[in-house]
Amino acid sequence: MAQHNGILMGMGNPLLDISAEVGQDVLDKYDVKLDSAILAEEKHIPVYKELVDSHNPQYIAGGATQNSIRVAQWMLNSSGMTGATSFMGSIGKGDEFGKTLEDCAKSDGVRAHYMKDESAPTGTCAVLVKGGERSLIANLAAANNFKPSHLDTPEAKEIIESAKFYYIAGFFLTVSVESLQRVADHAVAEGKTFCLNLSAPFIVDFFADQVATALPYADYLFCNESEAETYAKKHGLGDDLKEVALKIASSPKKNESRKRTVVFTQGSKSTIVAYDGKVTEYDVDPLAKELLVDTNGAGDAFVGGFLSKLVQGKSVEEAVQAGHWAARYIIQQSGCTLGKECAYKAE
């Protein structure tokens, strides 16, 4: 692997996606809606075996933060920045799915420093695809057992010190807020950049205290329109998403020397960016319906593209354009699947 400078670090839940096309009957059976992401309950556990036994699924490296970091590295490669990213999370010790994730990270040029859990298998995510839309059911398993002590390993310390940008998706708030705070406190103390994603409406709704702990650290906050609407409703911020973005951008912040940038994606509709009392909208180049494979990983890819420009000191406009390109690429693949070369060239 190329020399590693590790400017961008991610921490989150590494999961292996088990992805398959399903009918409405499967969605109804497990009581899930399209375009949703949930944690598996007891009633959802049989879905993993059903996909394997009856739907000829694809196995794809997943987990929101890991996806974004893989996409960022893929795009950074095209700028000659190999070895620029690292990722931490917890996988099962010595199991096949964990090895698949390790191999994938390695081939994508991401330095993965996994905690290896002896008590649980590597986490999985059922990806139910219907008509290009997706529903996610995550069984975190080992990913749920990440411990702050992993951050004390010599390799973890080196990774944290080397990085200048940090990205953590909201899904990790269900696992280890303490670990997030340790990394975020380092970012604040050293004047480095911390990025957060709200990730899913259930995070906003049911992990509100954890979100309230994490948000003040965020120099950049990402979410989609449904997460933004859920946050606005919960906190009485109104219905106008531009106003909501401005209010979140101006909410209290740990590092007061840098203003917060808030980014709301809205699928094929324009992306909203709020910064310093001003809102800018960026149009999305629509994709012909027949080219859409599935939307799994689109939001993760947007963040990956955005971060790939952010770490190079490019403008927010260039970062958004790169994010749009990456999301457009990913929705034409099954899951977060990357080609050998990234063909992105800034306009």
Side-chain angles (χ1 to χ4, degrees):
M1 186 170 150
Q3 186 184 359
H4 188 271
N5 64 9
I7 192 169
L8 172 62
M9 176 197 137
M11 183 166 65
N13 302 334
L15 306 172
L16 190 71
D17 285 353
I18 303 174
S19 178
E21 293 268 349
V22 300
Q24 187 63 40
D25 57 324
V26 177
L27 297 171
D28 292 342
K29 178 178 178 182
Y30 292 103
D31 190 26
V32 291
K33 295 180 175 63
L34 285 173
D35 201 29
S36 69
I38 61 169
L39 292 177
E41 299 170 31
E42 202 62 44
K43 67 181 178 183
H44 300 119
I45 297 302
V47 72
Y48 304 95
K49 187 171 188 323
E50 180 171 335
L51 291 182
V52 173
D53 291 350
S54 310
H55 291 84
N56 191 26
Q58 288 180 280
Y59 297 89
I60 306 163
T65 303
Q66 187 165 246
N67 283 346
S68 295
I69 298 298
R70 287 172 53 229
V71 170
Q73 183 59 65
W74 180 64
M75 294 188 72
L76 284 163
N77 288 344
S78 67
S79 301
M81 288 180 65
T82 55
T85 60
S86 55
F87 176 79
M88 286 192 267
S90 178
I91 60 174
K93 186 168 187 178
D95 66 26
E96 202 52 46
F97 286 175
K99 185 173 185 325
T100 300
L101 290 181
E102 286 190 286
D103 290 347
C104 183
K106 193 170 185 180
S107 70
D108 289 337
V110 176
R111 178 184 185 178
H113 178 45
Y114 293 120
M115 183 188 129
K116 299 199 176 161
D117 184 34
E118 298 191 13
S119 65
T122 296
T124 49
C125 183
V127 182
L128 311 179
V129 180
K130 180 177 179 286
E133 297 292 309
R134 56 75 173 145
S135 178
L136 307 178
I137 309 172
N139 182 18
L140 298 184
N144 201 40
N145 296 335
F146 188 90
K147 301 286 186 289
S149 57
H150 187 65
L151 302 178
D152 295 326
T153 61
E155 187 173 353
K157 285 180 175 175
E158 183 207 328
I159 285 169
I160 293 167
E161 286 292 333
S162 298
K164 293 184 171 55
F165 296 82
Y166 305 88
Y167 174 64
I168 300 179
F171 292 120
F172 194 66
L173 291 171
T174 74
V175 173
S176 181
V177 176
E178 184 186 338
S179 298
L180 178 146
Q181 281 187 276
R182 281 184 54 179
V183 171
D185 279 331
H186 169 82
V188 172
E190 299 293 328
K192 296 175 178 181
T193 301
F194 186 79
C195 309
L196 180 72
N197 199 318
L198 293 183
S199 293
F202 84 86
I203 299 288
V204 176
D205 258 339
F206 303 115
F207 295 87
D209 290 349
Q210 291 89 331
V211 171
T213 297
L215 184 56
Y217 289 104
D219 296 305
Y220 287 81
L221 180 77
F222 301 94
C223 68
N224 67 22
E225 73 274 37
S226 58
E227 293 143 19
E229 286 161 6
T230 304
Y231 188 90
K233 188 175 176 187
K234 192 162 190 74
H235 298 278
L237 302 182
D239 298 327
D240 182 341
L241 286 188
K242 294 180 200 171
E243 284 300 313
V244 172
L246 284 170
K247 286 171 182 171
I248 296 175
S250 63
S251 67
K253 198 166 175 296
K254 295 270 188 186
N255 181 354
E256 294 177 344
S257 68
R258 184 188 290 132
K259 290 182 166 61
R260 178 178 296 122
T261 302
V262 173
V263 184
F264 291 170
T265 56
Q266 305 185 90
S268 60
K269 294 194 293 195
S270 63
T271 294
I272 294 170
V273 178
Y275 175 76
D276 196 16
K278 182 168 173 272
V279 170
T280 310
E281 287 191 83
Y282 298 93
D283 288 339
V284 173
D285 191 11
L287 183 72
K289 183 75 176 166
E290 62 271 17
L291 294 177
L292 175 68
V293 175
D294 74 57
T295 55
N296 182 30
D300 303 335
F302 173 86
V303 173
F306 188 103
L307 293 175
S308 75
K309 296 302 170 189
L310 185 68
V311 304
Q312 295 182 73
K314 305 293 186 189
S315 69
V316 165
E317 182 176 2
E318 288 174 276
V320 170
Q321 284 174 350
H324 286 170
W325 184 90
R328 183 185 172 90
Y329 176 91
I330 286 298
I331 64 176
Q332 296 178 74
Q333 324 296 319
S334 186
C336 199
T337 308
L338 302 171
K340 194 153 181 58
E341 301 286 329
C342 172
Y344 183 70
K345 297 283 181 284
E347 306 273 298

